[in-house]
Structures are given as structure tokens and as C-alpha cells.
Amino acid sequence: MFCIVNTLLRWTLTFVPQYLLQVIVQNGCGSLFSSLATVLCDPGEAFLIATPFYGGITHSVFLYGNVKLVYAHLDSQVSGTSIRPFQLTMDKLKKALQDAQSEGVKVKALIILNPQNPLGDIYSLSELTEYLEFAKRYELHVIVDEIYMLSVFDDSASFHSVLEMDRLPDPQRTHVMWGISKDFAVSGIRFGTLYTENQDVANAIGSLCYFHGVCGPVQYKIAQLLQDRDWINQVYLRANHDRLKAAHTFVTDELKTLGVPFLNRNAGFFVWIDFRKVSCCKESSAQSN
């Protein structure tokens, strides 16, 4: 465990003072979501999340703690204070939180996916600061899932971790996740990390490692992988980004040819496609027949 944490921190978190680090390793980010839900919430309480989002989170947070999700709905059209489709704004977060409170639902944390799954949005440091300040204002924990941080495949886009901030607005309530399953295309190898400066949260999550531990041989192999930074940076990531970009270009070129709208983003393994026009055409054709 110590070897993995050391190599991971040297590679990804060198900007964080070593003595402040609290890193917990479990068998995947799904396990970490389950553990965080159990530790941060009482049964029936909720996490706030922007939708659409990766659906597996719903199951993970409900599994142990009976924690529900409250949705901040993102619009496909630019409206209100937004300047791009599906933009997460303070107004949308505030409305979702107030709606939940009016229904008697206690929200304990905000989940931020960066890069966002499935939209592919990459949040700027200023946007991240706004989200964290919002959470601080309402005394919410923030769970930042950065599992696609190394899967930004276009040079015109850049990823910024919340841990790059000079100062976290509420460090005791900020918890950052990453795992190898996406960026290294090894979903079958269950390995996820959680960074938190909250010692109570770290201890509580750590106690659940009894059920979600990573076996010794897997720890050793991952440590060997993460230690080879030259290969990761100069060989693997370059090849992976080229392949992701080529796949994205192939799919989006076909969509353009077919006249099907889509959200053009530069991160992750997915393209958000608007099939409403196609569905309407098929409906009209079926009705006329």
C-alpha cells in the first residue's frame, strides 16, 4: 500500500505538501463512492449531482448507506446565465438544493465529475472554485471524481485538478478520487484512490478497506506501472491520446455526414449525441405508413 501511494503521489500530486496528504486505496472508485456515502450520510440523506451523469454512481451510493441523489438538470440549449450547452451554473445548483430542502431531503455533499461523464466537459479552475465555494456556503462536502483526468486527448484543452488550487475553499470537506480503470483501460483491475485532509473521514473510509482492500500482487503491479513515469508520459499517454482522438474524429465525422447533432468535447470515451431529429423522422415515417 505504501509503495503505491508514494508512486502515485510523486506522479500526480507533487504540488501538494507531502505532510498534508491523506490517501486511501480501495478496490475501485465504486467502492469509494459506497464508502463515502456510508461515512458522510445517514440513511435517506442525499448527494447533489449534475445530470446527465454516470449511472453507476446511483447504485454505489445506495448500496450501503441508502443514500439518494438529487439532480441539478443541465440544459441542452444555452439559457439563463449559461454560455454553453449543458453548463453547470450556480443557479442550477442552488435550485436543485432548494427543491430538495423544500421536500425535506437533507443534502450532505456535492459530486463533481471532472472531466464529466458522459458529456466530456472539462471544468476550468474558476468554475471549480465556484462549485467549491457554493458547497462551502451551504456546508456541503464535495466529492470530486477525476477518473478521466489523463484522458484529455486534444492539445487545445487542458485538465486542472482541484488539488492545483492555491487554497481549497473548504479542505476538510473536499475529497478527491482517481482510479486506473479508465485512463489505463484496465477496468478489471480494481484500484481507486481517495485524497482527503479530513482525518476523521480518512479513518472511517480506511476502516472499510477490510471489505474493499487491494490484494498484494495487484498493489505491486500497479506500483511498478506508476513508477515508470517516462513510459507513461512519453509512450503510453501519447499513444492513448492519439487513439482516443482518432476514434472521436471517426465517430463525429460520421455524425456530421448524417446531419446528427452532437456535443463536441475533448475528454473521455464518449460522445453525447442528439437523436431527437432522427427519432422524429422515424416516428413521422411510421405514422404515414
Side-chain angles (χ1 to χ4, degrees), residues 24-26 32 35 39 194 199-212:
I24 299 96
V25 174
Q26 287 191 353
L32 287 169
S35 298
V39 168
L194 176 73
Q199 190 62 56
D200 290 336
V201 171
N203 291 342
I205 299 293
S207 69
L208 292 169
C209 289
Y210 180 84
F211 304 105
H212 298 290

Side-chain angles (χ1 to χ4, degrees), residues 36-48 61-62 65-70 100 104-109 141:
L36 282 165
T38 304
V39 168
L40 300 180
C41 298
D42 289 327
E45 294 180 337
F47 288 160
L48 172 60
V61 302
F62 184 79
N66 191 22
V67 172
K68 61 180 72 174
L69 294 176
V70 167
V105 177
K106 186 172 184 180
V107 177
K108 296 295 289 290
H141 289 263

